[in-house]
Amino acid sequence: MAIVIIRQDHKIELWKKALLKADSSLEVYSFLEEHPKDEISMAITWKHPSGSLNKYPNLKCIASAGAGVDYLFEDATRPKDIPITRIVDPFLASDMSEHVLAVILAHLKNLNAYKTKQIANVWEPMEYLRIKDVTVGILGLGELGALTGTDLTRYGFKVQGWSRSAKNIENVTTFSGPDSLSKFLESTDVLVCLLPLTPATEGILNKKLLSQLPKNAFVINVARGGHMVDEDLLALIDNGHLSGACLDVYHTEPLPTSHPFWNHNKIHMTPHYASVSDTNSVIPQLVENYKRLQSGEELQNKVDMNKGY
Ligand code: NDP
Ligand code: OXD
């Protein structure tokens, strides 16, 4: 049995080294090197090239190296009967929570607007918002959304969240299902999207949903670019309904330089790096799953193939 790492960025060697450091007896290959295809039982993937997963006759697990698995469901050539696992990791959740906190505080205290004024040599105080007066609404109360929400309550934010199934999270007002979405939106000052990208959530951040937020609401998308209808966001910012947005994820990554987001003074961008799997922290769960494959035990962090997340 052996592991293949399939990803198109510069991190293959880093992951290979980290796996071997955790367990030097592992047989690990990069998909770019010569490797025995029939010995591969686990593929550790991140945005793999389409058509690269159906070359392994004895593949038993596709392990996403991140929390999201939308890119695997999008690949029509993926062998459909192979279970998919994903990363569930405390640092992935706390890094996201810290990112969202930083973005919200920068918004409340006008830090991005001041940077623009600084560059233009403009001295112009602006009204700021207080934490106690702001309600943050989180779409998605899973591993990342639940921790982000809980952490924000500790700083004094009013926090509410929306998910598919009902939740009970201390100090967080929870809503579930499509019928409760409008109620959730009408009292949300800062909207944070932490949903998985599935057919049910694709394009969810559209004119209909965003118009239900109160005037001057601010939008943070740290989930997937496919959730956002870019034209609708731009229109609602430009007509003054929304005060702005901070985005980490885009339909096409890297975002083409011709995209209007780049030069919009009310849209702030980060390059899909809000929270990233830390090899030191996540390798043990991958090694554990590999051992479980060998012994025929149930895998951890399995994706629900019907729900797609
Ligand atoms: P989880 O699967 O743990 O949580 C997903 C949440 O979304 C759950 O609460 C789920 O509801 C809810 N949800 C799913 N579908 C619907 C729906 N149709 N209607 C309402 N609620 C729905 O995911 P994670 O928290 O681990 O990750 C969330 C996403 O964050 C990832 O899929 C990924 O795309 C993104 N991400 C982005 C990163 C970045 O750096 N920008 C880093 C890591 C992840 P229920 O609990 O009822 O099932
Ligand atoms: C993830 C991501 O899904 O980095 O883990 O986006």
Side-chain angles (χ1 to χ4, degrees), residues 100-285:
V100 169
L101 173 66
V103 170
I104 296 176
L105 288 177
H107 163 62
L108 265 52
K109 307 302 171 188
N110 305 304
L111 299 189
N112 289 307
Y114 280 133
K115 187 70 204 174
T116 309
K117 290 180 198 292
Q118 181 187 340
I119 291 165
N121 292 2
V122 172
W123 179 279
E124 191 176 62
M126 299 170 74
E127 294 304 321
Y128 53 80
L129 295 168
R130 290 200 179 102
I131 288 178
K132 73 173 186 57
D133 297 326
V134 173
T135 299
V136 180
I138 303 178
L139 293 168
L141 290 174
E143 297 293 332
L144 308 188
L147 183 79
T148 300
T150 303
D151 285 352
L152 289 169
T153 65
R154 292 212 191 95
Y155 286 98
F157 287 97
K158 290 184 271 246
V159 179
Q160 52 192 22
W162 181 74
S163 53
R164 183 137 101 169
S165 57
K167 305 278 178 222
N168 190 355
I169 304 173
E170 204 180 340
N171 297 326
V172 176
T173 307
T174 54
F175 298 81
S176 58
D179 293 347
S180 68
L181 186 55
S182 296
K183 189 101 193 89
F184 160 85
L185 292 168
E186 70 188 25
S187 48
T188 288
D189 301 310
V190 175
L191 182 73
V192 180
C193 181
L194 271 170
L195 290 166
L197 183 61
T198 66
T201 65
E202 187 168 3
I204 191 170
L205 300 176
N206 57 26
K207 185 176 175 198
K208 181 168 176 239
L209 181 147
L210 297 172
S211 313
Q212 293 176 67
L213 293 165
K215 190 166 160 49
N216 286 325
F218 188 78
V219 175
I220 300 172
N221 186 15
V222 274
R224 285 293 180 264
H227 291 121
M228 184 66 78
V229 178
D230 294 359
E231 308 71 47
D232 292 359
L233 176 72
L234 285 163
L236 285 160
I237 293 176
D238 290 341
N239 75 15
H241 184 71
L242 298 175
S243 59
C246 187
L247 310 173
D248 187 54
V249 287
Y250 312 89
H251 282 270
T252 307
E253 296 178 359
L255 187 68
T257 51
S258 57
H259 195 287
F261 286 169
W262 279 105
N263 294 313
H264 199 294
N265 66 354
K266 292 188 175 165
I267 294 185
H268 312 295
M269 292 170 50
T270 50
H272 196 154
Y273 224 68
S275 168
V276 176
S277 294
D278 173 345
T279 49
N280 289 326
S281 186
V282 307
I283 291 288
Q285 67 185 265

Side-chain angles (χ1 to χ4, degrees), residues 17-45:
K17 273 200 195 115
L19 281 158
L20 291 170
K21 191 174 156 205
D23 184 343
S24 57
S25 71
L26 296 177
E27 208 180 319
V28 189
Y29 298 94
S30 154
F31 81 117
L32 297 172
E33 67 187 316
E34 207 45 58
H35 57 290
K37 306 259 183 319
D38 55 351
E39 279 181 28
I40 299 297
S41 54
M42 179 188 259
I44 301 180
T45 62

